[in-house]
Every structure is written in C-alpha cells, then in structure tokens.
Amino acid sequence: MKKTATRLADGRELVYYDLRDDTVRDATDRRPLERTLTTSEIRRDPLLGDAVAVASHRQGRTYHPPADECPLCPSRGERLSEIPDSSYDVVVFENRFPSLAGDSGRCEVVCFTADHTASFADLSEEQARLVLDAWTDRTSELSPLPSVEQVFCFENRGQEIGVTLGHPHGQIYAYPFTTPRTALMLRSLAAHKEATGGENLFDAVLERELAGERVVLASEHWVAFVPYAAHWPYEVHLYPRRRVPDLLALDEAARAEFPAVYLELLRRFDRIFGPDEPPTPYIAAWHQAPFGGRTAESYGVERDDFALHLELFTIRRTSGKLKFLAGSESGMNVFINDVPPERAAERLREVATS
C-alpha cells in the first residue's frame, strides 16, 4: 500500500491509498473553495446521560446529485469533484459537512472505489484488503488526537438507510467521548467479569454461538453469526477468533483472510430476498475499544478485554417491506424483531455464493 496525503482547496486533508507503490498523486484541487464553516456542538442530555451532536450546517449538504455530478467520482477535464485526481484506488478525506469537528471530533469520508456503479460487494479481494488497510491507518492517525476518544468506521448503503450519495463509500467518525452503545458493552463486560470470577463476556458469547445453530460461516480466523438477541431482521456479527481490541491489533493472518470472508457475507446479504429484489440496504459498523486506558478502567475492565467486531444488518424485513423504528424502538429503545434469529441464520446459509 502506498499512502499519499494532500490538501483540498479549502484546507481539508485528503489521503490516497494505492495498490501500486509507483503511483504518483500530484493533482491539485482547482475548485475556488473557501474554508468550510462548521457549527458542530456536543450537548449532553441530563436525563439519559448521552450526547447529541447539533450540526445545523449539514442542512446544506449535497443531496442525491445526478451521477455526472457525483462529488466522490474522480475529477476529469473540467468536471471537478472532491477528489482532484482523474483516478484512485481508495481515498479518504475530511467531510465537507461534518457532524463532528474541531474540539467535537472529526468526520471523514472513505471512497472504496472510483467506479460509481459498483458496491463494496463488487470489489476484488485485493481492493477490499486495501479498504481494510485504510480503515486501520485512519484509526492509527485519528486515535491519538486530543479531541478523539473513539474511532468508528462504518458504511451506510442504500437510500432506505438515508444515504444521500450513491457512490460506494463509507465514513469514519472520531468521537470526543465513548459512545453510549460502547459504554453499555463495557458495563456488561465488567458485570460478567465480576460475576464469573474473571471470564470474558465476548469470549463466552463467541463460544456459545460456535456451539449453536446461528453460525453463518466460519473460517480459520473469522466467525460470522446471527446473535441470540438480534435487534434487526437480518443481523450478522463478524468476530476474529483471536480477541483483539481494535483494527490495529489484527494480525496478518486475520487481515489476509478478512476480504474473502467479508465479501462473501455482503454477497449473501444481496441474495436474501431473491434475484428480483433491489440490492439489500445495510449498515456495516466496526466496534473498536475506546482509546485511552482510563476509559476502559473506569468501567472496571482492561482495554484488551474488549473484542473488535463488525456488525452488519439490514432494515429490510421481507420483500418490499422495511423495519421501522416505531413506538417501542424509538420511544423505549425496546426492539421487536419480526424474523427469528435462527431462521435468519438459516437463510444466510442457504444463499451461499460459493
């Protein structure tokens, strides 16, 4: 992997990740951009104790542009985009309309490929590995920043999810706090450790799932399963067999095997509802331990007790129907799942692509 960092016309950072070491990236951003003015502010809810990012400037972000005006395609001729070069393998840049900025963290866009019509599932294993390397590198670069406590790499795919740009891409949020979902995991981890005299909850969950009927696929270094209490109609958790707290700690064997496993999962997701259905909308979310030992220790665990894993889920519950977060989910945070996890796992095994 070759990494080349540059700056866009308004001062935002952009980084190319290339497969070839001899690739030259010297194109400049020719757009007459002024520096982006952001208004991101973190507010704490005094009753729930969680955080809300107020970012009114995002009302003006690009919204479903035609394909020939996509800001994530390469710049060609006089058609200028967020990427100054006329081609790229993988590119990461600071979001022009960030939810988090300055002392409130940072937001980045990850473009998986220059091909506007592709999806992550269409990538080669070599290209998917490059994306993994980019996620890992960005985690390494962002985690030491004084305003960052947790790094979250994720992909939203499909208009049903709320995606406003059709180009295959994901995002990275660098939060200035430990997110509520991660805090819940840390509390559960600590409670289980105390109740069992030191057993790791993530290890126990993985061991139970490996012995059960919800495993979707298992390889030498990775295991994918539908969790016992899945929140979403089709939800898969992907764990490395060797517990590590973050992407930085994955060994080379797990990195090398990840592309084939992940691409297989994504391709199965697109086959859940049959060949005549449009591509399955999904969210793919990497869960990493917060950075800074005090964060984990404040919950009564060590940072290495946390287990890196990816959660992949769709809001489509059956052909032509979506799972909406209505009264119970939105009002009380109690999910009601229409698809039994055992049946979801069975279906994901049935649609194997290899």
Side-chain angles (χ1 to χ4, degrees):
M1 178 188 79
K2 182 180 180 182
K3 174 183 174 182
T4 307
T6 185
R7 292 280 173 179
L8 297 174
D10 56 6
R12 288 176 293 132
E13 184 179 21
L14 180 144
V15 183
Y16 294 99
Y17 295 90
D18 287 294
L19 293 167
R20 292 175 55 96
D21 288 339
D22 59 354
T23 303
V24 176
R25 300 294 184 189
D26 56 7
T28 59
D29 187 359
R30 294 180 284 137
R31 297 172 298 170
L33 296 181
E34 296 182 357
R35 287 193 173 273
T36 303
L37 179 63
T38 60
T39 57
S40 180
E41 176 189 0
I42 302 297
R43 297 187 180 184
R44 292 279 178 178
D45 186 315
L47 295 180
L48 300 179
D50 58 7
V52 176
V54 180
S56 59
H57 63 277
R58 286 176 52 79
Q59 288 280 34
R61 67 187 184 276
T62 309
Y63 187 80
H64 294 304
D68 60 358
E69 295 180 14
C70 174
L72 306 185
C73 287
S75 292
R76 288 172 183 157
E78 296 307 309
R79 184 187 174 285
L80 306 179
S81 74
E82 289 281 70
I83 296 90
D85 215 320
S86 59
S87 67
Y88 65 84
D89 291 337
V90 173
V91 70
V92 178
F93 60 88
E94 287 185 76
N95 197 321
R96 191 177 179 187
F97 304 97
S99 302
L100 309 166
D103 293 339
S104 298
R106 176 161 159 148
C107 293
E108 298 184 339
V109 177
V110 184
C111 298
F112 304 139
T113 172
D115 184 353
H116 182 83
T117 63
S119 69
F120 201 117
D122 296 323
L123 300 183
S124 67
E125 290 185 18
E126 184 181 40
Q127 187 80 5
R129 169 61 191 263
L130 185 61
V131 175
L132 174 62
D133 290 342
W135 283 331
T136 305
D137 182 72
R138 297 318 302 160
T139 298
S140 175
E141 293 287 337
L142 295 172
S143 55
L145 298 179
S147 62
V148 173
E149 190 167 300
Q150 187 168 0
V151 179
F152 176 47
C153 307
F154 65 100
E155 180 192 1
N156 296 329
R157 194 260 199 130
Q159 290 192 26
E160 300 94 328
I161 297 294
V163 173
T164 58
L165 296 175
H167 196 102
H169 72 288
Q171 299 181 68
I172 301 175
Y173 277 20
Y175 297 100
F177 50 81
T178 297
T179 62
R181 189 175 179 86
T182 303
L184 282 173
M185 291 184 193
L186 290 170
R187 283 195 285 269
S188 297
L189 187 62
H192 184 85
K193 188 174 185 178
E194 182 177 4
T196 60
E199 182 182 63
N200 184 280
L201 178 58
F202 288 108
D203 293 349
V205 167
L206 186 56
E207 182 179 356
R208 181 180 71 176
E209 295 295 355
L210 279 168
E213 58 183 317
R214 290 180 296 274
V215 173
V216 174
L217 62 87
S219 65
E220 183 178 356
H221 301 286
W222 295 88
V223 178
F225 59 88
V226 178
Y228 170 74
H231 290 61
W232 300 96
Y234 291 90
E235 174 181 342
V236 174
H237 293 191
L238 177 62
Y239 278 65
R241 287 183 184 265
R242 184 178 71 88
R243 172 166 44 89
V244 294
D246 52 45
L247 288 166
L248 303 175
L250 278 177
D251 61 25
E252 178 54 32
R255 292 181 186 281
E257 195 179 67
F258 170 79
V261 173
Y262 187 48
L263 290 171
E264 173 68 15
L265 277 180
L266 292 181
R267 291 163 185 166
R268 291 190 193 192
F269 256 60
D270 273 344
R271 297 162 66 96
I272 293 172
F273 305 104
D276 297 327
E277 285 292 310
T280 302
Y282 65 74
I283 292 174
W286 278 109
H287 291 264
Q288 305 191 75
F291 289 87
R294 288 177 300 174
T295 300
E297 290 168 2
S298 66
Y299 291 91
V301 295
E302 301 294 328
R303 188 172 185 275
D304 287 346
D305 290 334
F306 193 89
L308 167 77
H309 63 284
L310 182 141
E311 297 184 7
L312 173 69
F313 59 90
T314 179
I315 62 171
R316 186 179 290 165
R317 57 187 174 87
T318 190
S319 180
K321 297 179 181 178
L322 300 180
K323 166 64 179 176
F324 292 102
L325 300 189
S328 185
E329 292 88 355
S330 295
M332 285 288 127
N333 201 28
V334 177
F335 275 68
I336 300 170
N337 191 351
D338 304 299
V339 180
E342 293 73 23
R343 174 56 190 145
E346 181 182 28
R347 179 59 181 160
L348 285 162
R349 290 192 298 268
E350 290 174 350
V351 296
T353 61
S354 58

